[in-house]
Amino acid sequence: MTTTLMWEARAAEGRGAELLDWVRGQTLDPAPARRETFTAAADRVLVITWWDADGIDGPIAELPEPPAGLLHRPVHRWRFQRVPE
C-alpha cells in the first residue's frame, strides 16, 4: 500500500525563500520512495512524499515544524492512501 503525505506551509511576509531553503535542508529518515517540493503564490511551500508501507519498519517520517517566526500560520498536513484502480 502507498501512503502519500502532503505538508503545506505559508511563510511569514517576505520569508518564502527562507522557508523553501529550510524545507530543502530537512532530511527524512528513512527516506521516502519519492519526494517533491512545490511553491505557490503568497509564499506557500508544499512537500509531497510517497511511502511504500510494505518497505517501512515503524512510523513514516514527517517534516518537523519550521522555526518560530518563519510561518504566517500553522503547517497543514494530510495523509492519503492510494486507492486501487
Side-chain angles (χ1 to χ4, degrees):
M1 177 186 344
T2 299
T3 297
T4 301
L5 301 182
M6 292 179 62
W7 182 100
E8 187 265 340
R10 181 174 175 196
E13 183 70 30
R15 298 185 75 181
E18 187 178 349
L19 178 60
L20 179 60
D21 286 344
W22 179 86
V23 164
R24 287 179 165 167
Q26 302 304 303
T27 59
L28 297 172
D29 186 22
R34 181 174 161 197
R35 175 177 171 168
E36 294 188 30
T37 303
F38 303 85
T39 59
D43 289 326
R44 287 182 169 86
V45 176
L46 171 69
V47 179
I48 303 174
T49 55
W50 288 262
W51 303 84
D52 179 5
D54 296 332
I56 297 174
D57 294 328
I60 293 173
E62 293 193 38
L63 289 170
E65 289 293 318
L70 191 55
L71 298 179
H72 175 75
R73 58 155 171 75
V75 170
H76 292 175
R77 301 167 194 265
W78 300 275
R79 283 182 181 238
F80 297 93
Q81 303 294 314
R82 173 171 277 163
V83 177
E85 296 294 323

